[in-house]
Each structure stands twice: as structure tokens, then as C-alpha cells.
Amino acid sequence: IGDPAEAPLHSSTTTPIEGGLSFNRAAELVPGQTFESAVVAGEFRFFKVPVEWGQHLSYRVDLADRDDVTSREWTYIRGKWYNPLRADLTELNLLALDVGRQDGTAGTFSAGSTEPVRYGSKDYGFAGYYYFVIGPNETDEDAPFQYRFTLTVATPGEIEHGPMYDLSAVEPADQPESATTNDPQPQPGENAISPTVIAVASGVLALVVGSAVAVVVARRRRAG
């Protein structure tokens, strides 16, 4: 593990984007391009960015000055990153950022991965889409207005050759249309069973049945 990747700078122009409401409907981000979006209390917005073997992942979030006055003196925005298997990437998370007090102070946060995407890495062992989920820790009754922000991601590093994985048996289930919890968690598919698991289970069942039949036959021979 090395030094964190340098966070990107925002570009002079921004592109409006509306984040998705689930992992499977996450809006795709282009590395190096600055996007402008918003989230309201009571929801989370989902984004994704492709990261190749050998590349790092870094990002910058700037929250706009607050134009409205809320019922609270302050508010927190929570941002969490997940790898292609939707495991939490703690070192990149925006866990509890003081967004804006009533004087309109903006919040800024940036972070970068400490290692590239490579085989054997605990957190970055898979190339593919990495996900960013952002939202306030308030309910929709606390602050009905939007929290505006700009987001830039970067994937520095030379692309390398890496292994190919078949993840068809571990497809995660879709999220509800609107995430309303304060701590979004990935929902792996409960019905996704690996073919290897099925084969092993079938073999064990066949062995048990075969043993039972052998015992019955042996008892009948002794009785005869």
C-alpha cells in the first residue's frame, strides 16, 4: 500500500447529471469530467465509474453554498464507495461531512486509493464499475430542499492486463426505487447460487442416498 492517489481538480465547465436510485441504475461518470448534481433529504443518489486493471481511483466533491435556511443548524452528507462486488471501500468514504451551516459555508472532500486495481488486492482486486452513493443523513421531513454538489472522478495509472472473472453467479439484487436509509448497503442476490455449490450439494445428496440404499440391501440379505 502506497500513498493515496492525487485527487482530481474540477474542470472549468460542468455537465448536469441525475444520479440513479439504485446500484443497477447508477449513472455513469466519465473520468476527468466534472458533473453537477443534487440530492434531497430522504434519498441517496448512485453513480458508477469504470476502473481498469492497474488504475487508481480518486475523486473530489464540492457542495454548493446553501441558499436555504433549514430547521437544523447543520447537516451531514454521507458518501460511500463500493468496488465491483459492492464491498465498502472505507478509505475513500465521505463519512460525516459538515455540509453547510446557516451562514452558507460549503463543504469539500477528496480522497484517492492507496493501491491500484490488481489481482490479490483486498479492496481493489477487481476491474469494473466502482460505485459512489451520496445522500444526507436527514429524513425527507427535515429539509425538503436540494443539496447541490459537483463531482469529479479520476482513474490515474497505466492500464495493465489482468485476469478475467465470471461473476454471472453472484449478480446482486436491484435496490428499491428510492433508498431512504441513512447508511446505504449493497444487497447481494439471495437467490444467486454458484453452479459449484449446486454440484457439490448434488454430490453429497447422491452419496447419502447411495449409502442408505446399501444399508437396506445388506439388511435384507442377512434376513434372507
Side-chain angles (χ1 to χ4, degrees):
I1 298 178
D3 296 328
E6 185 176 351
L9 297 176
H10 287 319
S11 59
S12 57
T13 60
T14 60
T15 301
I17 190 172
E18 185 176 355
L21 294 176
S22 70
F23 280 99
N24 288 356
R25 298 182 181 182
E28 184 168 347
L29 304 172
V30 178
Q33 187 171 342
T34 299
F35 294 89
E36 181 179 2
S37 189
V39 64
V40 300
E43 73 173 12
F44 286 91
R45 288 290 173 173
F46 292 70
F47 303 89
K48 63 182 180 181
V49 56
V51 186
E52 302 290 342
W53 296 107
Q55 292 184 322
H56 281 264
L57 173 61
S58 63
Y59 76 105
R60 180 182 302 276
V61 170
D62 285 353
L63 292 124
D65 290 341
R66 182 178 293 181
D67 297 326
D68 304 83
V69 177
T70 70
S71 58
R72 295 189 177 195
E73 182 182 359
W74 46 261
T75 265
Y76 287 96
I77 290 285
R78 299 173 62 85
K80 302 190 74 172
W81 279 93
Y82 301 91
N83 67 16
L85 295 185
R86 301 179 189 177
D88 188 359
L89 299 175
T90 304
E91 72 173 3
L92 295 180
N93 285 343
L94 183 161
L95 292 176
L97 176 65
D98 192 351
V99 178
R101 301 183 183 278
Q102 291 183 356
D103 61 3
T105 304
T108 301
F109 192 88
S110 62
S113 62
T114 54
E115 57 181 317
V117 173
R118 286 201 178 118
Y119 175 77
S121 170
K122 176 180 178 293
D123 294 322
Y124 305 99
F126 296 89
Y129 283 118
Y130 283 68
Y131 298 86
F132 182 58
V133 185
I134 185 170
N137 69 332
E138 298 177 340
T139 67
D140 55 1
E141 298 177 354
D142 291 325
F145 58 87
Q146 293 182 330
Y147 297 90
R148 294 175 292 108
F149 62 92
T150 53
L151 169 63
T152 305
V153 298
T155 54
E158 296 293 329
I159 297 178
E160 304 171 353
H161 293 292
M164 300 293 292
Y165 295 102
D166 181 7
L167 303 179
S168 59
V170 289
E171 295 179 359
D174 199 355
Q175 292 282 61
E177 286 302 305
S178 178
T180 57
T181 61
N182 290 335
D183 191 9
Q185 296 294 333
Q187 301 291 330
E190 298 178 355
N191 296 325
I193 303 176
S194 169
T196 303
V197 174
I198 295 176
V200 171
S202 299
V204 172
L205 180 61
L207 179 61
V208 172
V209 174
S211 300
V213 172
V215 170
V216 172
V217 172
R219 288 179 176 176
R220 287 181 176 178
R221 288 179 177 174
R222 289 173 187 171

